[in-house]
Amino acid sequence: MNPFTFDTSDFQFLLDTVGETVTIDNVEQKAIINNAKIDDYEEKYIYTLDSIQRGNLILHNKKKYLIVSDVTEGKLYKALMRHCNYEIVIEGQKVCEIVSYNVFGEPIEECHTTKSISVPVFVDKYAFKIDDPAPIRVPDKQIIVTMQDNETNKSKFTVNTKFDVMGHTWKVVDVDLTRNGLLILTCELS
């Protein structure tokens, strides 16, 4: 056996003995989680034998994290994840549809309210950077909001959309999709 070949059975033993059960995009998996460097953000490294990718939403110790780095792939997967420090609640919306017509030809509608959704995000006053000693500060009255890139979030958070977070109403002025898996919004105080 090559002494430089990684043996996944060794890592599997570590997963079985010190690994934790986490939820990755609503699927339970075993992973090893350890702290990253002490910084302004609560960041941790995640190691797993199962495939992970940037933008995965991780539930660990009742806290939500987003994988923000590229994933180191090989026999095991390693990535940096950042704690979601806020949740944006999108209230359900009233939706009506015509189900029939009365004797006068007027539409009869049935209405229902869609389910509210809660979107875990992290909010910052700095442009999104990883391992950069000099992040770029955004102008006053602006924030950067980072969330998982999925169809629901893309449809709910478009330019000019308004939402409440941190006790204020914010308007999306830019949607950045340059980091696969992440939806990065520049927002200004509305």
Side-chain angles (χ1 to χ4, degrees):
M1 179 173 176
N2 183 343
F4 298 108
T5 303
F6 182 76
D7 184 2
T8 57
S9 64
D10 292 340
F11 187 73
Q12 185 65 55
F13 175 76
L14 283 173
L15 276 177
D16 294 340
T17 55
V18 296
E20 305 171 55
T21 300
V22 298
T23 304
I24 302 175
D25 288 338
N26 297 318
V27 177
E28 284 191 354
Q29 294 182 18
K30 288 286 259 185
I32 293 177
I33 309 290
N34 70 350
N35 292 327
K37 65 183 179 180
I38 296 175
D39 200 356
D40 291 340
Y41 308 102
E42 182 182 339
E43 295 179 327
K44 297 179 181 288
Y45 287 107
I46 180 170
Y47 303 84
T48 180
L49 286 173
D50 298 309
S51 178
I52 55 176
Q53 60 190 7
R54 182 176 22 210
N56 283 145
L57 183 63
I58 313 295
L59 180 61
H60 171 257
N61 288 340
K62 299 181 182 177
K63 290 183 176 181
K64 294 178 182 172
Y65 296 82
L66 274 176
I67 293 181
V68 294
S69 70
D70 283 332
V71 176
T72 304
E73 296 181 25
K75 300 277 185 178
L76 68 99
Y77 298 85
K78 173 188 174 185
L80 182 68
M81 59 187 197
R82 184 175 291 172
H83 177 248
C84 295
N85 56 359
Y86 289 96
E87 292 213 10
I88 298 173
V89 176
I90 305 295
E91 297 298 327
Q93 299 172 349
K94 185 177 179 179
V95 177
C96 297
E97 60 182 276
I98 298 172
V99 292
S100 66
Y101 295 88
N102 64 17
V103 293
F104 302 108
E106 298 167 330
I108 298 174
E109 294 182 331
E110 278 189 9
C111 299
H112 68 280
T113 303
T114 60
K115 186 178 173 184
S116 296
I117 61 168
S118 181
V119 181
V121 301
F122 58 87
V123 178
D124 204 341
K125 288 288 294 172
Y126 297 94
F128 188 84
K129 299 285 182 190
I130 295 176
D131 296 331
D132 187 348
I136 302 167
R137 188 166 172 77
V138 296
D140 284 342
K141 299 184 181 182
Q142 280 193 350
I143 57 173
I144 304 293
V145 178
T146 304
M147 65 185 66
Q148 184 178 48
D149 179 7
N150 60 40
E151 290 306 314
T152 300
N153 291 349
K154 266 192 225 177
S155 69
K156 299 284 184 193
F157 295 95
T158 58
V159 172
N160 294 324
T161 298
K162 293 182 180 180
F163 61 88
D164 294 327
V165 72
M166 302 184 323
H168 297 287
T169 301
W170 300 89
K171 181 173 92 172
V172 177
V173 294
D174 184 57
V175 178
D176 179 357
L177 296 168
T178 59
R179 292 188 175 271
N180 288 341
L182 298 175
L183 191 62
I184 304 167
L185 311 175
T186 302
C187 305
E188 63 184 20
L189 200 54
S190 178

